[in-house]
Amino acid sequence: MSTNLNTDWGNIGFSYRKTNANYVSLWKNGVWDEGKLVKENTLTISMGSPAIHYGQQCFEGLKAYRRKNGSIGLFRADQNAKRMQESCRRILMPEVPVEKFIEAVKMVVKANEEFIPPYGSGATLYIRPFVIGVGDNVGIKPATEYIFCIFVTPVGPYFKGGMSPIKLVVSEYDRAAPYGTGAVKVGGNYAASLLPHKHVTHEGYTDCVYLDPKTHTKIEEVGAANFFGITKDNIFVTPISPSILPSITKNSLLYITDKVFGMKVEERDVYVNNLDEFAEAGACGTAAVISPIGSLTNGKDKYIFYSETEVGPVTKKLYDHLIGIQFGEVEAPEGWMIEFK
Ligand code: PLP
Ligand code: COI
């Protein structure tokens, strides 16, 4: 089926639009039910649900791509399924089996095929799976019932302007603690980032960069994306830390730079007072794709990477290769794409 919605796909931004169908599955008495598609995009849950009071919930984000050959592509969906299992384990929720996750994603994407932006528009169908702990409760304990849902919505670039340099600033807040939940995708991390995000966007920045919560000397990640830098001698560097979200995009870029481009790669500490080691830098993630970082302000210091207006050559090459794989223009490494009609 082709897209028949009358939409200006180039300018949809990153916002929600109601679609035809959503997926819902319930976990009760130790098992997930089969799951089904529903029309409504609302849930009725107990007021005592642990998801509401104690943040017992997690989510994922991935995309469906209308590919060059007309098929639909999912990028590394198994990795999202596995990361959601990690999140569930960390906050004592039942895991969704990988096969169930992938089948559910395919089902809801297929049911909303007309919302997949056309090939060449640059837009994609964002897929948001999540698990919440529900049921009557008041004490701090895991829920007795869970709901696994997926909704989808067509999106454009997360950062306004897409592939144009963003302006970041170091936050004085932390989004996660050293032995906390930073490495899993739970809502609490994002609740913690709302106020810092409000402050920095009010000051004219695109988003903030969080430092390591223990010493506040090393870059952890951007609000909703991982950080990478390209050193002046062409090494792909990305921070390593137990409190950042292991980005599937970042892991893919580590593979592409190493195995395809033959660059040296390093996962290591990135000191915020040593940014002049980098010729280019970027933020990477499913929503962010690759967004070049034009500048990073830290207190009175402002570091300009490649340029505040132009995209650096390595960042551009990485972006082209990554979206080439996703849209079916470049051969994907074994197992990265799930394709269906
Ligand atoms: N870091 C944070 C805090 C995020 O929310 C995201 C988005 O999922 C990422 C990094 C990027 O991860 P991924 O590439 O798996 O989308
Ligand atoms: C994603 O990239 O999928 C994210 O989850 C980022 C943000 C929209 C929360």
Side-chain angles (χ1 to χ4, degrees):
M1 192 210 282
S2 62
T3 305
N4 58 17
L5 303 172
N6 188 13
T7 300
D8 177 8
W9 295 110
N11 289 304
I12 54 174
F14 196 88
S15 57
Y16 178 75
R17 169 174 184 167
K18 192 171 186 288
T19 61
N20 293 333
N22 304 288
Y23 173 90
V24 181
S25 177
L26 306 177
W27 186 94
K28 215 174 171 173
N29 302 324
V31 283
W32 288 108
D33 71 8
E34 228 185 295
K36 61 174 192 245
L37 293 177
V38 296
K39 267 195 173 11
E40 59 278 10
N41 65 347
T42 52
L43 293 168
T44 301
I45 58 171
S46 162
M47 288 186 186
S49 294
I52 298 175
H53 301 268
Y54 306 122
Q56 199 192 19
Q57 68 80 244
C58 69
F59 67 98
E60 271 303 323
L62 66 161
K63 285 174 170 173
Y65 304 83
R66 178 64 72 186
R67 287 163 64 86
K68 196 175 181 188
N69 65 8
S71 70
I72 304 165
L74 297 174
F75 180 71
R76 309 196 74 179
D78 60 320
Q79 299 298 307
N80 292 94
K82 287 179 186 152
R83 190 170 65 189
M84 198 170 86
Q85 291 183 330
E86 290 278 333
S87 300
C88 287
R89 279 198 287 276
R90 178 63 178 81
I91 57 170
L92 296 183
M93 302 200 293
E95 293 167 33
V96 175
V98 173
E99 306 70 41
K100 180 180 175 75
F101 179 101
I102 292 173
E103 281 316 307
V105 166
K106 283 167 79 172
M107 198 194 291
V108 71
V109 168
K110 199 69 199 137
N112 290 300
E113 194 170 353
E114 67 189 289
F115 291 90
I116 305 176
Y119 172 73
S121 67
T124 53
L125 188 74
Y126 185 72
I127 305 163
R128 173 53 62 84
F130 60 98
V131 178
I132 56 175
V134 297
D136 291 339
N137 182 63
V138 68
I140 305 174
K141 56 181 180 292
T144 49
E145 293 175 18
Y146 294 86
I147 306 179
F148 166 43
C149 284
I150 309 176
F151 71 77
V152 298
T153 191
V155 295
Y158 183 69
F159 293 123
K160 216 164 151 245
M163 192 46 180
S164 48
I166 56 174
K167 197 175 152 189
L168 299 180
V169 60
V170 169
S171 175
E172 59 210 22
Y173 293 94
D174 297 324
R175 66 177 277 285
Y179 299 99
T181 54
V184 290
K185 210 163 165 60
V186 298
N189 299 337
Y190 297 83
S193 75
L194 293 175
L195 181 70
H197 184 266
K198 182 180 171 190
H199 283 176
V200 305
T201 49
H202 190 71
E203 289 164 17
Y205 296 101
T206 321
D207 205 343
C208 44
V209 162
Y210 293 98
L211 300 183
D212 70 292
K214 198 164 176 187
T215 70
H216 281 202
T217 57
K218 296 174 271 186
I219 290 184
E220 291 257 293
E221 61 182 322
V222 185
N226 274 185
F227 174 94
F228 71 84
I230 310 294
T231 64
K232 289 176 176 161
D233 49 358
N234 208 36
I235 303 173
F236 180 90
V237 178
T238 186
I240 190 161
S241 154
S243 48
I244 68 178
L245 189 77
S247 155
I248 295 158
T249 316
K250 187 265 305 287
N251 287 337
S252 307
L253 294 182
L254 279 166
Y255 181 94
I256 293 167
T257 43
D258 176 20
K259 300 282 188 290
V260 183
F261 295 163
M263 289 167 66
K264 263 178 86 177
V265 301
E266 292 174 359
E267 278 188 278
R268 60 153 164 90
D269 290 338
V270 173
Y271 287 91
V272 72
N273 67 2
N274 192 30
L275 292 176
D276 59 4
E277 65 170 324
F278 297 118
E280 296 177 38
C284 63
T286 300
V289 193
I290 292 179
S291 298
I293 303 174
S295 67
L296 176 55
T297 299
N298 181 25
K300 287 193 221 67
D301 302 326
K302 175 176 173 183
Y303 188 77
I304 295 174
F305 292 97
Y306 182 73
S307 150
E308 286 186 280
T309 50
E310 309 271 310
V311 184
V314 182
T315 307
K316 175 82 173 80
K317 192 167 125 176
L318 276 172
Y319 176 85
D320 288 344
H321 198 86
L322 178 69
I323 66 157
I325 289 173
Q326 294 167 333
F327 285 107
E329 296 146 355
V330 170
E331 198 182 336
E334 180 79 29
W336 278 21
M337 296 303 303
I338 294 175
E339 249 191 294
F340 57 104
K341 292 266 180 202

